[in-house]
């Protein structure tokens, strides 16, 4: 595994000052990708009280082209000093927070916009077919011929291994989906809002054993944007949320090369982010964890230190993540019930910011002062961990 953060200097140096996301109850947003990106960027800047003329940094990696960040900047009519198109899947957007903080600290930029947009449902309606992000030469040679169906098979391998080694049960994993859906019932923008039970999850049928249908993320259209600026500038804006710690890590690309199916790169990015923030897991009020599948959440909780390795099953089994639980998590309804356009990491940062601002209505976590957003990319391949806080914890 590799750790991409230098331990000191990040705490409180930058702040998130604007956020926006666009979703549809139907799951479909049938507009051109550039238009959707521009709309959500405009909304995030308006939320910050800024305009495009204030932006001198741009981070994005969607769109399927080699120079997407530069092409998007051209479309927006800006000439940023700093751009980043690093692609680590759902972990990219926390990684961009880390990179933006470093760029701002180095004087390479002052205000950076991070954006993600994808419309897989609309594309499907139009009859468009993509090559698939998992169709790499290595996988086509060494995994696909042996029946590996990605990403499902990879996460099923991890779930099976965790069950075999630690005795984790299907009921415990199902509880994660139930708790996430409970949050979604409080979110009028969520794609799936009907309450579910553990039995509903277990009776929804296997997609790839032991993963049931209701343990799999949605496929929807959507977009999200985050505006990051220096702490000095943020003091002149409303409702800043400060970046206390950020770190990223990666360990493999193919699931057959994962060193341990029960340990993700979060075991590196999590402790590094906590060290940068000067905090511990017990200090976190709300978590926004990437929930591509229920096993993704369970592994993250262990690797981030919220419980010991192997104890994730009992930890989540009593509703710890649910409203009123000891560790409220996935408060939008997550990728399982809110939205999931292909990479959910940007949405985690949007919700973490809104929770710390107290803007979440019926799903608001009372007195939240700290939040953790943790993205996962690939097949448990890469992670990014971001810890945010209000001015009260600086």
């Amino acid at each position: 595994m590799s750790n991409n953060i230098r331990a000191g200097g990040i705490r409180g140096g930058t702040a998130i000052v604007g956020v926006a996301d666009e979703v549809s109850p139907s799951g479909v947003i049938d507009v051109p990708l550039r238009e959707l990106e521009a709309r959500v960027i405009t909304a995030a800047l308006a939320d910050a009280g800024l305009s495009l003329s204030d932006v001198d940094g741009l981070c994005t990696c969607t769109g399927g082209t080699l120079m997407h960040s530069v092409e998007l900047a051209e479309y927006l009519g800006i000439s940023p000093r700093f751009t980043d198109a690093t692609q680590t899947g759902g972990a990219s957007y926390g990684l961009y927070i880390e990179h933006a903080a470093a760029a701002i600290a180095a004087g390479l930029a002052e205000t950076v916009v991070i954006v993600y947009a994808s419309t897989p449902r609309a594309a499907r309606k139009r009859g468009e077919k993509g090559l698939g992000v998992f169709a790499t030469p290595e996988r086509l040679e060494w995994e696909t011929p042996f029946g590996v169906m990605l990403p499902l098979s990879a996460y099923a391998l991890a779930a099976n291994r965790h069950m075999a080694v630690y005795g984790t049960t299907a009921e415990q994993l199902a509880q994660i989906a139930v708790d996430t859906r409970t949050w979604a019932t409080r979110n009028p923008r969520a794609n799936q809002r009907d309450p579910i039970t553990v039995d509903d999850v277990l009776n929804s049928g296997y997609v790839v054993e032991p993963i049931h249908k209701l343990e799999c993320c949605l496929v929807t259209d959507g977009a999200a944007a985050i505006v990051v600026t220096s702490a000095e500038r943020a003091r002149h804006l409303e409702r800043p949320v400060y970046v206390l710690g950020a770190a990223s890590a990666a360990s493999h690309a193919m699931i057959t090369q994962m060193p341990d199916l029960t340990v993700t790169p979060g075991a590196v990015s999590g402790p590094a982010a906590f060290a940068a923030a000067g905090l511990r897991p017990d200090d976190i009020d709300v978590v926004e964890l990437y929930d591509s599948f229920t096993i993704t959440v369970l592994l993250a909780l262990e690797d981030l230190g919220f419980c010991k390795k192997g104890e994730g099953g009992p930890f989540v089994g009593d509703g710890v993540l649910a409203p009123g639980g000891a560790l409220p998590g996935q408060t939008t309804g997550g990728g399982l019930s809110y939205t999931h356009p292909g990479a959910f990491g940007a949405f985690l940062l949007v919700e973490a910011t809104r929770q710390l601002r107290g803007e979440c209505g019926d799903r608001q976590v009372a007195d939240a002062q700290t939040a953790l957003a943790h993205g996962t990319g690939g097949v448990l391949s890469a992670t990014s961990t971001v810890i945010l806080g209000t001015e009260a914890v600086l």
Side-chain angles (χ1 to χ4, degrees):
M1 296 185 182
S2 64
N3 176 18
N4 299 324
I5 191 171
R6 291 177 294 179
I10 196 171
R11 190 178 200 274
T14 54
I16 295 175
V17 293
V19 294
D21 66 350
E22 185 166 341
V23 300
S24 168
S26 70
V28 179
I29 305 174
D30 196 1
V31 300
L33 185 67
R34 287 281 189 267
E35 179 182 337
L36 184 56
E37 289 172 323
R39 283 188 344 200
V40 77
I41 288 170
T42 300
L45 287 168
D47 184 55
L50 299 172
S51 65
L52 273 174
S53 62
D54 296 302
V55 176
D56 56 2
L58 182 63
C59 301
T60 183
C61 61
T62 53
T65 59
L66 293 176
M67 296 181 63
H68 183 63
S69 60
V70 177
E71 292 161 352
L72 177 58
E74 182 179 71
Y75 178 83
L76 296 170
I78 61 175
S79 300
R81 294 187 290 151
F82 168 74
T83 65
D84 192 348
T86 306
Q87 169 65 280
T88 56
S92 302
Y93 307 92
L95 177 68
Y96 291 151
I97 294 288
E98 182 185 356
H99 288 186
I104 291 168
L108 302 179
E110 186 178 23
T111 301
V112 179
V113 169
I114 298 165
V115 63
Y116 170 73
S118 182
T119 55
R121 288 279 295 276
R124 185 185 301 170
K125 285 183 62 178
R126 294 190 296 267
E128 298 175 9
K129 294 182 179 179
L131 294 176
V133 296
F134 296 106
T136 62
E138 295 84 1
R139 290 192 176 98
L140 291 173
E141 181 175 3
W142 297 106
E143 291 188 344
T144 305
F146 302 98
V148 176
M149 181 177 67
L150 294 174
L152 284 161
S153 293
Y155 288 85
L157 282 168
N160 271 312
R161 183 62 176 169
H162 205 278
M163 288 175 158
V165 174
Y166 298 113
T168 307
T169 68
E171 289 78 7
Q172 291 167 342
L173 286 168
Q175 187 65 50
I176 296 171
V178 172
D179 293 346
T180 305
R181 182 64 65 86
T182 303
W183 283 111
T185 66
R186 302 184 175 200
N187 185 357
R189 301 172 69 222
N191 182 267
Q192 298 294 316
R193 298 190 64 202
D194 293 334
I196 57 174
T197 66
V198 168
D199 284 342
D200 290 333
V201 177
L202 300 182
N203 292 328
S204 63
Y206 289 123
V207 180
V208 176
E209 192 174 359
I211 297 175
H212 301 86
K213 179 180 179 181
L214 289 177
E215 295 181 86
C216 301
C217 65
L218 305 169
V219 178
T220 66
D221 300 338
I226 303 103
V227 182
V228 185
T229 194
S230 65
E232 181 178 358
R233 188 172 200 176
R235 294 188 186 99
H236 303 286
L237 302 172
E238 295 183 4
R239 302 165 298 161
V241 169
Y242 293 92
V243 179
L244 304 181
S248 56
S251 64
H252 62 282
M254 297 192 295
I255 193 63
T256 52
Q257 303 305 305
M258 188 172 180
D260 183 335
L261 286 168
T262 70
V263 180
T264 75
V268 173
S269 66
F274 277 114
L279 298 175
R280 300 176 301 174
D282 288 347
D283 297 315
I284 301 300
D285 296 323
V286 57
V287 295
E288 306 297 340
L289 307 175
Y290 203 104
D291 57 341
S292 49
F293 303 93
T294 54
I295 186 61
T296 319
V297 173
L298 186 145
L299 293 176
L301 289 167
E302 292 180 344
D303 292 337
L304 294 170
F306 290 103
C307 60
K308 293 180 180 179
K309 179 56 62 178
E311 296 182 2
F315 184 72
V316 301
D318 63 355
V320 68
L321 298 170
L327 186 65
Q330 291 69 265
T331 52
T332 56
L336 294 174
S337 293
Y338 176 50
T339 192
H340 196 286
F344 191 57
F347 296 87
L348 302 174
L349 293 159
V350 171
E351 178 69 3
T353 299
R354 288 174 172 162
Q355 283 288 340
L356 296 184
R357 289 174 166 185
E359 298 174 343
C360 294
D362 290 342
R363 67 180 192 278
Q364 180 63 48
V365 175
D367 302 318
Q369 301 295 320
T370 57
L372 180 146
H374 181 72
T376 303
V379 286
L380 300 168
S381 307
T383 58
S384 60
T385 309
V386 177
I387 299 173
L388 303 175
T390 65
E391 192 165 8
V393 299
L394 283 178

